[in-house]
Amino acid sequence: MLERIKKLNLLEKARELVRKPVFLIGTGLLFLLLFSAAGYGVWTTQQPPPQPIQFNHSVHVGLGVQCLYCHPGAWRQASAGLPTSGKCWGCHQQMANTKPEQQKLVEYVNSSEPIPWVPVFIQPDFVYFNHRPHIAGGVNCETCHGEISRLTVAEPIAGQNMGWCLDCHRTTAGDDEEKLIRLTDCSTCHR
Ligand code: HEC
Ligand code: HEC
Ligand code: HEC
Ligand code: HEC
Ligand code: HEC
């Protein structure tokens, strides 16, 4: 009996609390905070991270340099790979390199320090992704990475989650039952 009264009292107190304007404003603020935090999270994940050198994709792709020249892993292995300073130097040693960003490249080459490029497109460790079957299957870089050729440094794209992978895999499989099973099997992407 005493327990019940205590419970009722608590309930009544809770009800009173909910009715209080301070509580309402408080929860309102909390919601606002949570929402703006989530919004900020989305915003920050869509910003390109700072890179050691503001490498300019549009300049280099505009010169006719192929994506695979700098990211040759994409058609033979899981990871596409990022160019070392040696690959940059192949061209830049014949140049004046007077621009500030080119000066940074010269410093990395002279110090033999690797250029610490910051990853942009990244899946969690429990996801298995491999570039090779995608390039072999005729999927363009731009389909997944956006119009890199118009950008300076690469920019992340939101929403590349499990649903994104599965949607394209279902479309790819079409009516091919065997392919559908293979491309949507959990162990295809989680091993
Ligand atoms: C195929 C040859 C080639 C390769 C490889 C190459 N570059 Fe360049 N790069 C050029 C040319 C040509 C220019 C334009 C001439 C100029 O700006 O002086 C240029 C311009 C630049 C610029 C100035 C861009 C601007 O905003 O005007 C930077 C910085 C640069 N390269 C850095 C790099 C880095 C870092 C790498 C390696 C990841 C690299 N380059 C690889 C040929 C190359
Ligand atoms: C089917 C979608 C898809 C296509 C097509 C694709 N990529 Fe990727 N790429 C990804 C995903 C997903 C990641 C993140 C992989 C991870 O974190 O395991 C990634 C990562 C990368 C990275 C950074 C990590 C690494 O693998 O070295 C580079 C560079 C890259 N891609 C370049 C390319 C280029 C160049 C092409 C075209 C030749 C291409 N990608 C085609 C989805 C794709
Ligand atoms: C001259 C060399 C060069 C060429 C050509 C080039 N890239 Fe890159 N790429 C880089 C460098 C250096 C970075 C690291 C800086 C950055 O993230 O932008 C990079 C980063 C990337 C990333 C992000 C990698 C990550 O860390 O997640 C993608 C995706 C990518 N490139 C795709 C492409 C595609 C698609 C093309 C062709 C349209 C291309 N690149 C052409 C040098 C190059
Ligand atoms: C734009 C379309 C597209 C997207 C997005 C995509 N894939 Fe694929 N994926 C393909 C195609 C096409 C193949 C090759 C299918 C075949 O074997 O004919 C493939 C094959 C694969 C394979 C090899 C399957 C095998 O045969 O064993 C793996 C692993 C894979 N994808 C993982 C992923 C993951 C993980 C993601 C998301 C991060 C992803 N894919 C996003 C189109 C896509
Ligand atoms: C085509 C590739 C692909 C297939 C097939 C796939 N997944 Fe995923 N899965 C992903 C990717 C990419 C992520 C990470 C991004 C995300 O969280 O959505 C993920 C994330 C997850 C997560 C973590 C979710 C989270 O919120 O962190 C679980 C659990 C999961 N997958 C289970 C499964 C199960 C069970 C299956 C089979 C029914 C499956 N997956 C099939 C690509 C795949």
Side-chain angles (χ1 to χ4, degrees):
M1 189 59 192
L2 204 67
E3 281 298 301
R4 270 199 62 171
I5 292 171
K6 264 191 196 155
K7 254 190 204 154
L8 277 174
N9 271 342
L10 269 178
L11 252 172
E12 198 43 48
K13 269 199 189 128
R15 283 205 188 104
E16 260 171 45
L17 189 65
V18 171
R19 267 183 240 121
K20 281 206 174 106
V22 182
F23 180 83
L24 289 178
I25 293 168
T27 41
L29 279 179
L30 190 69
F31 267 105
L32 252 173
L33 229 128
L34 286 176
F35 272 113
S36 44
Y40 181 72
V42 169
W43 184 77
T44 45
T45 49
Q46 282 174 281
Q47 293 299 316
Q51 295 291 350
I53 302 175
Q54 276 295 106
F55 171 79
N56 193 325
H57 272 90
S58 77
V59 165
H60 290 87
V61 177
L63 290 165
V65 190
Q66 299 295 307
C67 309
L68 286 170
Y69 181 76
C70 290
H71 306 293
W75 65 281
R76 3 183 181 95
Q77 61 197 44
S79 90
L82 291 173
T84 59
S85 60
K87 179 149 272 176
C88 315
W89 203 233
C91 292
H92 279 271
Q93 66 177 335
Q94 297 146 37
M95 291 161 49
N97 299 312
T98 48
K99 293 179 178 146
E101 296 303 305
Q102 292 172 336
Q103 280 296 312
K104 289 186 194 165
L105 170 63
V106 174
E107 276 164 34
Y108 281 113
V109 171
N110 287 340
S111 69
S112 319
E113 287 288 324
I115 308 174
W117 302 117
V118 181
V120 181
F121 287 85
I122 192 157
Q123 289 291 340
D125 282 344
F126 57 84
V127 174
Y128 173 76
F129 178 81
N130 190 334
H131 276 90
R132 193 171 48 145
H134 295 95
I135 306 310
V139 189
N140 289 323
C141 312
E142 286 80 5
T143 306
C144 300
H145 293 300
E147 290 203 75
I148 298 269
S149 59
R150 292 213 198 153
L151 299 176
T152 306
V153 290
E155 292 179 13
I157 296 173
Q160 297 197 335
N161 51 23
M162 182 159 129
W164 173 68
C165 314
L166 282 172
D167 275 352
C168 185
H169 280 194
R170 287 204 191 94
T171 316
T172 300
D175 294 334
D176 189 336
E177 211 41 61
E178 179 274 328
K179 209 175 203 176
L180 184 68
I181 292 166
R182 177 163 54 86
L183 291 180
T184 55
D185 193 279
C186 313
S187 68
T188 298
C189 307
H190 305 293
R191 342 186 131 175

